Amino acid sequence: MAKDVALVLLSGGARGLAHIGAIEELEARGYHITSIAGCSMGSLIGGVTNPIPLNRVVRHKGDILVGVDVSGQDYEAQSKLQQEIEEKRKRSSSLPLQILNKLIPDNLDFNYYTMLSRVSSLMIRQNSILMTQLMKPDVLVNIQMSRYGGFDYDKSEKLIAIGRKKTQQALDQY
């Protein structure tokens, strides 16, 4: 007999496409989604104040609470990858890149916008962690999205596949 699911989906821009894979996997396993709650991918205020609205979804007797969290960022891995790219750029023997290296200062991409973006992401992530601790979903699909940003809509197939795979793993553990 299929279980009913109260599903909660987190905001995350293009990364939210991973939710499609999660829904497909739940349905493929015969789960019946009775209600869905989520934050708009573009709603910064809603995402900061209640990034994973586990306390807002309508629950029915006997259903399981499934949360899909795509807010995780691996800044350490991103920083390491960025350093590797910068080192390759500096070692390049290409004349145009040598000229570019002299014109562009190091760490150019770290500015007020990136700092605000990272602080915002960290706040959303911390709020997500706290909400999952308070509401204790039956199944939590935690998808670290270190390679994808909020505007990577062109990578929809990969994001959906990641959502499906991570949901498979979480359901197998349930």
Side-chain angles (χ1 to χ4, degrees):
M1 178 181 206
K3 285 200 169 227
D4 290 338
V5 172
L7 182 62
V8 179
L9 305 174
L10 182 70
S11 61
R15 295 176 304 193
L17 292 166
H19 295 319
I20 295 170
I23 291 168
E24 288 175 350
E25 182 60 26
L26 286 165
E27 289 177 343
R29 290 187 180 217
Y31 287 94
H32 177 250
I33 299 171
T34 58
S35 62
I36 298 177
C39 292
S40 170
M41 294 188 294
S43 173
L44 179 61
I45 301 302
V48 170
T49 59
N50 195 7
I52 186 163
L54 295 167
N55 60 340
R56 299 289 185 235
V57 69
V58 177
R59 300 289 308 272
H60 301 281
K61 186 175 181 171
D63 67 8
I64 62 173
L65 180 59
V66 176
V68 181
D69 185 354
V70 296
S71 70
Q73 292 271 348
D74 187 357
Y75 288 117
E76 186 176 325
Q78 282 179 321
S79 179
K80 184 178 178 183
L81 179 63
Q82 184 176 356
Q83 287 174 352
E84 289 173 11
I85 290 170
E86 284 183 28
E87 288 300 317
K88 286 181 183 177
R89 181 179 60 110
K90 288 178 184 177
R91 289 191 310 258
S92 174
S93 60
S94 160
L95 181 60
L97 274 179
Q98 288 177 4
I99 294 169
L100 189 64
N101 287 338
K102 291 180 181 184
L103 295 174
I104 297 178
D106 291 336
N107 298 322
L108 179 67
D109 65 328
F110 190 77
N111 53 38
Y112 291 117
Y113 173 76
T114 56
M115 185 174 66
L116 179 63
S117 177
R118 286 187 181 190
V119 168
S120 211
S121 294
L122 290 171
M123 282 185 349
I124 290 170
R125 181 68 184 147
Q126 188 60 36
N127 285 344
S128 296
I129 291 168
L130 291 172
M131 183 57 76
T132 57
Q133 290 173 349
L134 287 171
M135 298 307 296
K136 298 183 183 3
D138 299 305
V139 177
L140 179 62
V141 183
N142 193 1
I143 304 173
Q144 294 289 320
M145 292 285 195
S146 59
R147 289 187 172 208
Y148 303 99
F151 297 104
D152 286 333
Y153 294 101
D154 59 321
K155 297 174 179 72
S156 61
E157 289 181 20
K158 288 181 183 180
L159 291 164
I160 291 169
I162 291 168
R164 185 179 300 112
K165 180 180 178 185
K166 292 294 186 175
T167 303
Q168 286 172 349
Q169 293 170 347
L171 290 173
D172 287 346
Q173 290 179 357
Y174 175 70

